[in-house]
Structures are given as C-alpha cells and as structure tokens.
C-alpha cells in the first residue's frame, strides 16, 4: 500500500507492535458491540418524560373538622414500560380541589411542587414522611377509624402513602400472616362484644362494637400508628391496626 504525501513532513514516529495490537483490539470490540442485538430500553422516571395525552388517576376525599368543605385530592399515574416485566406505575401529578378557597394559593403551590418532585423521578416516598410530620397549631383531629391526624397536610401525606401502597411503590408493613392474626383478633373482639350485649340484653350501637371502624370503642391510641386500636389481649397491649404489641 502506498500513500502519497502532499504536505511537508514535520515529524514522524514509528508504530510499535503493541500499539498496533491495542488499536486492533479496540476496533474489534467496537465491531462486536455494533453486531450485538439492541436490548429494549427500560424507561425510568425522569423530568424530560413527556406527559401522555391520557393518564389514569385516583381521587381521594379528605374531610377534616378543621375545614368546612371537603378536599378532593387527585393523583394521576403514568405507566412506564407497559406490558413488559418492567411495568411500573409512578405518580405523575397531583391536584387538590375544594369549595374552600381560603388556603387555595398554598394548596396550589404545594401540589405544583409535589408534581415536580414526582416527575423528577427517583425516590419520592420521602414526601409522605415530610407531610405526615406537619402539625397544625390549632390541634389535630381523629379521622373515622380512630386514626389521629395532626393536620390536614398530614392527612394529605397519609393519602399519598395509601396511593403509593396501592401502586406498589411503598410496601405494606404487615406480613400476610401478621395481618391474618390481627383480622382474627379483631373478629374475636367484635363477636365477644356482641355476645356480651346479647347476654346483657342491651342494644349495642355499631360504634360500641367497633363495627364502623373495625376497632372496639374502648381501644386506646397506638404509639406506633396513631390509631385508636390498642386493646389488652392476654396481658399484652396489642394494636389491631398495625400489630404493635407491648406486654406488661
Ligand atoms: Zn398501631
């Protein structure tokens, strides 16, 4: 092979055998990469992901004694890698609607920032703990079911927590065995309350048997899950909601 040199030679060096071998190895590797069949790309959440025309959503209602009107919280999800084994539901945006316009600007600001966090991708579950830790200086309230909410913002956190559990981004803390044991205890408790009422021929309201909330009316507040669901069983304080247990 001959090469015509049309310019002046200013410097030269001789290719060493090991350099030539290295260059050939690199070329071979590049060729091998190109020949490989392309793997399907797994799409992760990131901020340049375009919003599809249509998103699936869930709307939750928050009714608080601190607010005259209910709040309606809508969380829309995006489904990534649909139909593949990497299918994943991720929250994409959140809206709050209410007749109550008093706090509207703050609610809008909060939802816009949360939506931006959702779209950034990565772990968004920290939002739950941040919101649930917000206390209203006017005092909190008990939700139906006996769960203590320190503020409306905290309840918003609880709603997002429920949603993330539903779409599989947060794990439910209880093992199936634990949940079964708790359900059995709860059923025993309700049956005992009913039997007791029949024996004493008094009419038992649903709330007294714990039929509306699933927890007996005399249950105390659980230090772990803030639910009025702790009862004394076999000498142990046991939470019928989260399984918390303390003996003695
Ligand atoms: Zn508990």
């Amino acid at each position: 092979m001959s090469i015509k040199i049309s310019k002046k030679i200013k410097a030269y060096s001789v290719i060493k055998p090991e350099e030539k071998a290295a260059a050939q190895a690199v070329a071979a590797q590049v060729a091998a990469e190109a020949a490989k069949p392309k793997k399907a790309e797994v799409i992760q959440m990131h901020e340049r992901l375009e919003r599809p025309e249509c998103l699936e959503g869930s709307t939750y209602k928050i009714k608080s004694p601190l607010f005259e009107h209910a709040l309606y919280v809508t969380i829309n999800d995006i489904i990534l890698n649909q139909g593949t084994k990497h299918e994943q539901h991720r929250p994409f945006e959140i809206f709050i609607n209410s007749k109550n316009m008093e706090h509207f600007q703050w609610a809008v600001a909060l939802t816009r920032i949360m939506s931006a966090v959702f779209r950034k991708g990565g772990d968004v579950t920290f939002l739950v703990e941040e919101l649930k830790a917000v206390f209203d200086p006017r005092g909190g309230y008990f939700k139906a079911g006996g769960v203590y909410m320190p503020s409306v913002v905290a309840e918003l956190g609880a709603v997002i927590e429920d949603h993330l559990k539903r779409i599989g981004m947060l794990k439910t803390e209880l093992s199936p065995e634990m949940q079964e044991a708790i359900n059995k205890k709860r059923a025993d408790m309700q049956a005992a309350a009913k039997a007791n009422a029949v024996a004493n021929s008094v009419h038992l309201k649903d709330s007294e048997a714990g039929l509306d909330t699933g927890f007996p009316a005399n249950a105390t507040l659980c230090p772990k899950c803030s639910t009025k669901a702790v009862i004394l069983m076999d000498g142990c304080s046991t939470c019928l909601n989260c399984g918390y247990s303390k003996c003695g």
Side-chain angles (χ1 to χ4, degrees), residues 222 224-225 239 241-244:
C222 171
K224 195 176 160 210
C225 69
C239 176
N241 185 50
C242 72
Y244 164 86

Side-chain angles (χ1 to χ4, degrees), residues 178-234:
M178 190 80 174
Q179 187 63 56
E180 202 177 306
I182 289 175
N183 288 348
K184 194 180 168 298
K185 274 186 188 175
R186 202 184 286 181
D188 287 353
M189 210 59 204
Q190 287 169 357
K194 267 191 192 164
N196 196 24
V198 171
N200 296 313
S201 52
V202 289
H203 179 72
L204 195 68
K205 277 187 254 156
D206 277 359
S207 62
E208 284 160 349
L211 293 180
D212 53 348
T213 63
F215 308 120
N218 62 350
T220 54
L221 195 64
C222 171
K224 195 176 160 210
C225 69
S226 300
T227 306
K228 266 177 141 174
V230 176
I231 53 146
L232 201 64
M233 279 206 116
D234 312 323

